[in-house]
Amino acid sequence: MAAAVRTMPMLGVTPPFPRSAHNSTRSAPPAAAAATERTPCCPSSAAAPPPPMPMPVWFPLGRDRDRDRDRGGKGGGKGGGGGSDKGGKGRRKRGSSPAQDEEGKVSAADFRMAPEEARSRLDALLGKMADAATEQESSRFLQWRLLEEVGSEGECDEICTAVLPSVGRLASDVFGNFVVQKLFERGTPEQRRGIVDKLLGEIYNLATNKYGCRVVQKMLEVLPSEDQARLVKELHNKVLDCVEDMHGNHVIQIMVKSMAVADIEFIINTLAGSAEKMASHMYGCRVIQRLVEKCTPDQISELITKLRGKVDKLATDLHGNYIVQCILEFGSQEDKRSIIQLIRKDIVFYGKNKVGSNVVEKCFEVTTDGDDAGFLSEEREALYRTVLGEAGDSNTPLKTLANDKFGNYAVQGIIRHSRGADRDLLKQHLNSMEGHLNHQTSKHIMNALKKLE
């Protein structure tokens, strides 16, 4: 008699997924998503480095539908990012270590010791700073002494003097980078310039380093404009290299956010020369979003013109759709109208597309609640006429989208952004076709209708 064979269940391996998120800040699309799930409307995004301390997280533009649909899900694509790694309380972000998470939380209460003991420990570290700052506990102690409410100005001067000879190596160290960041926050303008002088010539290497990029971002946040321009001068011919790098793209984004438009013209011109490629790139789309958010249409006219010419492709691109949404949010009135007219002409095609359906909803959103809703009132009316179809039509665009696995999310969005007579007419059409709707999609649509009551 053959012996029974015991089989073990195969453990599924969940692939890493990128940060995403959304709402007020914007993040990049996910690198992968389930075949039947829509890519969420926001930034951000393929894999990104641990967020710089204490950098605000940006995300791509748009609604995060997967998050709305499944609050316990994996999330998806500020920025991006984008996005944010989802998880319950106590879970740390992908790509970071427990030590790194702790490193960003040094507070005045973290160490309790008599002044004499603290002074003695600092003296012991000053003589071996190049090594001490790369050790976790010593790094935390040094950050603690650099807090304004803890250490004196004299101690800050001593630490700066000891750090300066090794600042290049420490800036790219897993623990040393935090000491350099904290020193840059606390230091005097002269001390900051001294650090910058030491790092010149290494800015590109730091910008594309997992830990060094945090230091470069911190410097850009703190430095005055003239020193910012001096710091990034060596990146002028490395813009695309940085944008395509998982760490360097964050540096370029901070440059866009923190520097004057006149000082980032080299970024604008470089991206305009590779507009379609960058708009379809998981990191490039984030940088373009930052530009569209910050600059006036005139300041990036060449870039916008090239992007508008590719809207038909970008609207259904995994990353490019965020650019289209961003222009609908922040672009000129004519840019918005041009995009809406293009989407309306083939609304079923875009509405049934996994990411294009996000763009369809964005069209209804900006014509209803956006800053230019009044200017776009005719476009809004045309959108509703198109989606509701002709009188007597038994297979309207609305019905087609409502029965589609992705299109039904666009319909839910249309419901949310409907107003007045348009809302009444929309409810009438949807209620009349309730018996002809796909069971899986109809419950979501009918729930969206009930929320209006």
Side-chain angles (χ1 to χ4, degrees):
M1 181 176 179
V5 178
R6 182 183 180 187
T7 59
M8 296 295 291
M10 181 175 293
L11 299 180
V13 179
T14 302
F17 53 91
R19 72 183 185 117
S20 86
H22 165 256
N23 284 337
S24 56
T25 36
R26 318 283 188 190
S27 100
T36 59
E37 292 181 346
R38 287 183 58 189
T39 300
C41 287
C42 129
S44 312
S45 346
M53 180 193 78
M55 286 284 303
V57 181
W58 60 266
F59 308 106
L61 179 69
R63 290 185 54 81
D64 188 337
R65 262 342 143 12
D66 284 347
R67 185 190 64 182
D68 290 344
R69 183 172 73 256
D70 183 2
R71 298 259 176 196
K74 297 178 182 178
K78 151 241 342 23
S84 65
D85 289 336
K86 293 196 180 250
K89 184 177 181 181
R91 291 178 63 184
R92 60 185 175 87
K93 292 187 177 181
R94 174 180 169 272
S96 65
S97 70
Q100 291 164 0
D101 290 343
E102 294 169 7
E103 249 0 86
K105 301 177 182 178
V106 175
S107 67
D110 282 1
F111 291 83
R112 297 187 181 277
M113 58 179 67
E116 298 80 8
E117 181 185 358
R119 180 68 241 187
S120 176
R121 182 171 180 181
L122 179 59
D123 288 337
L125 296 180
L126 290 173
K128 54 176 183 178
M129 185 60 71
D131 295 324
T134 63
E135 298 171 356
Q136 181 180 2
E137 284 306 309
S138 296
S139 170
R140 291 177 61 80
F141 174 80
L142 292 168
Q143 293 174 66
W144 178 63
R145 296 312 296 176
L146 286 170
L147 293 174
E148 290 187 8
E149 63 269 36
V150 175
S152 66
E153 293 295 334
E155 288 181 333
C156 180
D157 293 342
E158 290 180 285
I159 295 173
C160 183
T161 301
V163 163
L164 207 54
S166 306
V167 69
R169 181 165 70 89
L170 295 178
S172 57
D173 180 78
V174 58
F175 300 119
N177 82 89
F178 293 106
V179 176
V180 178
Q181 288 186 67
K182 189 64 69 176
L183 185 59
F184 213 81
E185 289 179 352
R186 178 77 188 276
T188 64
E190 292 74 19
Q191 290 170 337
R192 291 169 181 166
R193 281 193 288 270
I195 294 174
V196 171
D197 290 341
K198 281 284 188 179
L199 295 179
L200 289 179
E202 293 295 325
I203 300 303
Y204 173 72
N205 291 335
L206 289 173
T208 53
N209 178 270
K210 182 176 183 179
Y211 307 110
C213 71
R214 305 176 179 186
V215 174
V216 177
Q217 290 176 78
K218 177 60 66 178
M219 292 193 292
L220 287 167
E221 288 183 316
V222 175
L223 287 172
S225 58
E226 60 272 17
D227 289 331
Q228 287 177 328
R230 187 167 69 101
L231 179 72
V232 304
K233 188 175 182 180
E234 64 188 83
L235 299 182
H236 281 219
N237 297 322
K238 298 282 189 178
V239 172
L240 293 184
D241 291 333
C242 287
V243 170
E244 293 178 332
D245 183 81
M246 68 181 299
H247 309 299
N249 80 88
H250 293 281
V251 172
I252 301 297
Q253 289 183 67
I254 291 298
M255 290 168 63
V256 172
K257 294 174 69 174
S258 64
M259 296 176 69
V261 173
D263 293 331
I264 59 171
E265 285 186 357
F266 69 98
I267 297 176
I268 297 172
N269 294 336
T270 300
L271 291 180
S274 303
E276 183 179 4
K277 177 184 177 183
M278 289 295 98
S280 300
H281 191 276
M282 65 175 66
Y283 304 136
C285 73
R286 305 174 181 183
V287 177
I288 293 178
Q289 286 178 84
R290 305 290 83 73
L291 286 171
V292 174
E293 291 165 357
K294 175 171 182 169
C295 303
T296 66
D298 290 341
Q299 290 169 333
I300 52 174
S301 58
E302 182 184 357
L303 175 62
I304 293 296
T305 299
K306 291 185 176 182
L307 293 173
R308 272 182 53 177
K310 299 295 182 180
V311 165
D312 57 336
K313 295 181 180 178
L314 294 177
T316 56
D317 182 81
L318 181 62
H319 308 293
N321 79 92
Y322 301 114
I323 303 297
V324 179
Q325 293 184 65
C326 194
I327 297 174
L328 284 169
E329 179 88 8
F330 298 100
S332 70
Q333 293 178 337
E334 289 302 325
D335 291 335
K336 295 176 182 180
R337 180 157 63 184
S338 172
I339 293 173
I340 292 169
Q341 289 175 348
L342 184 146
I343 298 299
R344 181 174 59 82
K345 288 178 180 178
D346 207 351
I347 199 167
V348 171
F349 168 74
Y350 291 107
K352 292 175 65 176
N353 181 269
K354 184 175 182 179
V355 297
S357 53
N358 290 323
V359 177
V360 170
E361 180 185 342
K362 195 68 180 179
C363 289
F364 281 87
E365 178 184 338
V366 299
T367 55
T368 302
D369 302 318
D371 294 337
D372 295 316
F375 174 82
L376 298 171
S377 59
E378 292 184 4
E379 303 307 325
R380 181 174 183 272
E381 293 174 4
L383 281 170
Y384 275 96
R385 286 198 304 270
T386 300
V387 79
L388 294 176
E390 300 293 337
D393 187 354
S394 60
N395 191 29
T396 64
L398 180 64
K399 182 178 180 180
T400 301
L401 293 176
N403 281 308
D404 184 75
K405 61 182 178 181
F406 301 127
N408 82 92
Y409 290 103
V411 174
Q412 292 176 57
I414 294 171
I415 293 171
R416 280 193 297 270
H417 299 299
S418 62
R419 300 289 185 273
D422 290 328
R423 173 175 291 181
D424 295 336
L425 193 57
L426 184 63
K427 291 171 66 175
Q428 178 184 334
H429 276 70
L430 288 171
N431 285 325
S432 67
M433 66 176 68
E434 183 176 4
H436 302 283
L437 295 180
N438 179 297
H439 173 69
Q440 289 184 325
T441 61
S442 64
K443 61 181 180 182
H444 298 300
I445 292 173
M446 291 305 150
N447 285 337
L449 280 176
K450 290 179 182 178
K451 291 179 181 179
L452 300 180
E453 298 174 357

